[in-house]
């Protein structure tokens, strides 16, 4: 892998070639490789004073989502075993899984906080064209939401690390920006509202605020649904369905703890 990355760096069309490998790795479900190639794409764009385009942002999100998702699932499974049976070895094994998953989260957070979020904000401020400025704002919100997600994942694993505050702050910064610039039906705004409400419910243990946020996002979106562009309709209505499912679960169900913690059904799937 290191040799391939080094060879790519010297090419005239390095970004295009790297993206071909990103997509090949995705199809092969080799998400560690996918993330390594996307890190190179980020470095190359930043060196040229550029941001990622929409396709590249989505692939960055997909790669790390799948990579860290396996660790999150393993951590939940082993922790559940620890809760149900005594073992001298399980805590050590849980620690191994926690470290691996934490390292992945911190890797993508470094990319977001050191490179992509600052660059998106910089380009946003310097853009005079209204349409291009909107694209930069969308990118900034996307990255803020993504960073909030990975701090939320860290908070799942480490309850004492203070990660929940970072997650909340990033989500709220993105929420403020999206409320001022995106329609209530915009999938980025809806996905952010969905994941913020999940954070309040699962991490911050504030079920009332979680329900309020989910209901407000759903109600605001449904009132503008008739004005939604066709290309956004499917994504928007899917997230709205997740918001409604959460509200139903959170307000009427007395599901057991294991079901509540299984956030695969309640968070935004990028």
């Amino acid at each position: 892998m290191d040799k391939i990355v080094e060879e790519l760096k010297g090419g005239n069309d390095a970004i295009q070639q790297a993206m071909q490998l990103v997509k090949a790795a995705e199809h092969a479900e080799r998400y560690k490789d996918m993330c390594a190639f996307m890190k190179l794409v980020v470095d190359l764009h930043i060196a040229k004073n550029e941001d990622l385009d929409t396709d590249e942002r989505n692939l960055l999100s997909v790669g790390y989502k799948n990579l860290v998702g396996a660790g999150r699932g393993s951590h939940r499974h082993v922790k559940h075993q620890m809760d149900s049976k005594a073992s001298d070895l399980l805590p050590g094994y849980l620690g191994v899984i926690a470290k691996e998953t934490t390292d992945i989260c911190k890797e993508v957070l470094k990319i977001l906080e050191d490179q992509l979020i600052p660059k998106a904000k910089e380009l946003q401020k310097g853009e005079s064209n209204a349409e291009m400025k909107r694209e930069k704002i969308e990118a900034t919100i996307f990255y803020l939401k993504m960073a909030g997600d990975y701090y939320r994942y860290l908070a799942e694993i480490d309850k004492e690390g203070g990660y929940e505050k970072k997650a909340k702050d990033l989500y709220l910064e993105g929420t403020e920006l999206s409320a001022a610039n995106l329609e209530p039906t915009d999938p980025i705004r809806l996905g952010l509202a969905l994941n913020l409400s999940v954070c309040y419910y699962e991490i911050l243990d504030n079920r009332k605020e979680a329900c309020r946020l989910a209901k407000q996002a759903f109600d605001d979106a449904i009132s503008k649904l008739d004005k939604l562009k066709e290309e956004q309709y499917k994504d928007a209505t899917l997230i709205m369905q997740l918001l409604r499912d959460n509200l139903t679960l959170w307000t009427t169900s007395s599901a057991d703890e294991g079901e509540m913690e299984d956030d695969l059904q309640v968070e935004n799937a990028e």
Side-chain angles (χ1 to χ4, degrees):
M1 276 295 298
D2 291 342
K3 183 179 179 181
I4 294 173
V5 170
E6 286 303 316
E7 289 177 356
L8 281 170
K9 287 180 181 179
N12 294 327
D13 53 353
I15 292 176
Q16 182 180 355
Q17 289 186 16
M19 287 304 298
Q20 290 176 353
L21 290 172
V22 167
K23 292 173 182 178
E26 180 190 18
H27 292 149
E29 298 184 0
R30 290 181 61 87
Y31 297 111
K32 185 175 181 179
D33 295 345
M34 186 181 178
C35 292
F37 293 133
M38 277 308 309
K39 284 175 65 178
L40 174 60
V41 171
V42 171
D43 289 342
L44 293 169
H45 275 299
I46 294 297
K48 296 170 68 176
N49 196 36
E50 297 172 347
D51 187 17
L52 304 182
D53 64 26
T54 301
D55 186 43
E56 291 165 345
R57 287 199 302 269
N58 288 335
L59 287 168
L60 177 73
S61 177
V62 167
Y64 276 103
K65 183 88 170 180
N66 280 281
L67 193 59
V68 82
R72 292 173 67 209
S74 298
H75 190 271
R76 282 195 299 266
H77 180 73
V78 174
K79 190 174 185 302
H80 179 71
Q81 285 188 311
M82 282 178 55
D83 293 340
S84 61
K85 62 181 72 172
S87 171
D88 293 335
L89 297 177
L90 282 176
Y93 186 43
L94 185 68
V96 170
I97 297 169
K99 185 180 185 308
E100 288 179 356
T101 308
T102 295
D103 287 348
I104 297 168
C105 290
K106 289 183 176 180
E107 178 181 297
V108 67
L109 283 167
K110 183 173 177 60
I111 295 170
L112 290 164
E113 295 185 305
D114 291 357
Q115 294 177 288
L116 293 175
I117 292 175
K119 181 55 64 179
K121 288 181 176 180
E122 175 192 330
L123 294 173
Q124 173 191 323
K125 289 179 181 177
E127 184 57 65
S128 57
N129 179 278
E131 185 175 345
M132 294 297 293
K133 189 178 184 69
R134 176 187 167 85
E135 290 181 8
K136 301 297 186 292
I137 291 171
E138 287 181 352
T140 303
I141 296 168
F142 183 96
Y143 296 139
L144 289 168
K145 171 191 170 294
M146 191 172 170
D149 288 342
Y150 284 90
Y151 274 112
R152 174 162 60 89
Y153 304 156
L154 286 172
E156 290 174 354
I157 295 169
D158 182 358
K159 308 293 185 184
E160 308 299 326
Y163 297 121
E164 69 283 353
K165 184 179 186 307
K166 286 289 294 182
K168 176 185 172 184
D169 289 347
L170 286 158
Y171 282 142
L172 290 177
E173 183 181 352
T175 298
E176 183 178 352
L177 196 56
S178 67
N181 294 280
L182 303 182
E183 289 294 325
T185 50
D186 188 290
I188 296 175
R189 177 171 169 176
L190 282 167
L192 176 57
L194 174 64
N195 287 14
L196 175 59
S197 65
V198 170
C199 184
Y200 268 103
Y201 188 86
E202 295 187 344
I203 305 299
L204 300 171
D205 198 25
N206 187 337
R207 300 184 179 190
K208 183 176 181 181
E209 182 65 6
C211 291
R212 186 194 71 79
L213 286 166
K215 185 176 188 305
Q216 180 179 332
F218 182 87
D219 290 346
D220 289 348
I222 205 165
S223 68
K224 300 287 183 76
L225 203 57
D226 58 332
K227 300 178 182 178
L228 187 60
K229 295 178 182 178
E230 185 176 348
E231 60 268 23
Q232 290 186 325
Y233 189 87
K234 182 178 179 181
D235 288 341
T237 52
L238 173 62
I239 301 171
M240 289 173 68
Q241 182 63 52
L242 292 174
L243 285 164
R244 188 165 65 176
D245 290 347
N246 283 357
L247 281 168
T248 300
L249 175 66
W250 295 344
T251 58
T252 66
S253 175
S254 58
D256 64 41
E257 183 177 339
E259 289 175 331
M260 289 188 204
E261 289 183 352
D262 185 8
D263 61 5
L264 295 179
Q265 65 179 330
V266 297
E267 70 178 73
N268 185 208
E270 293 98 351

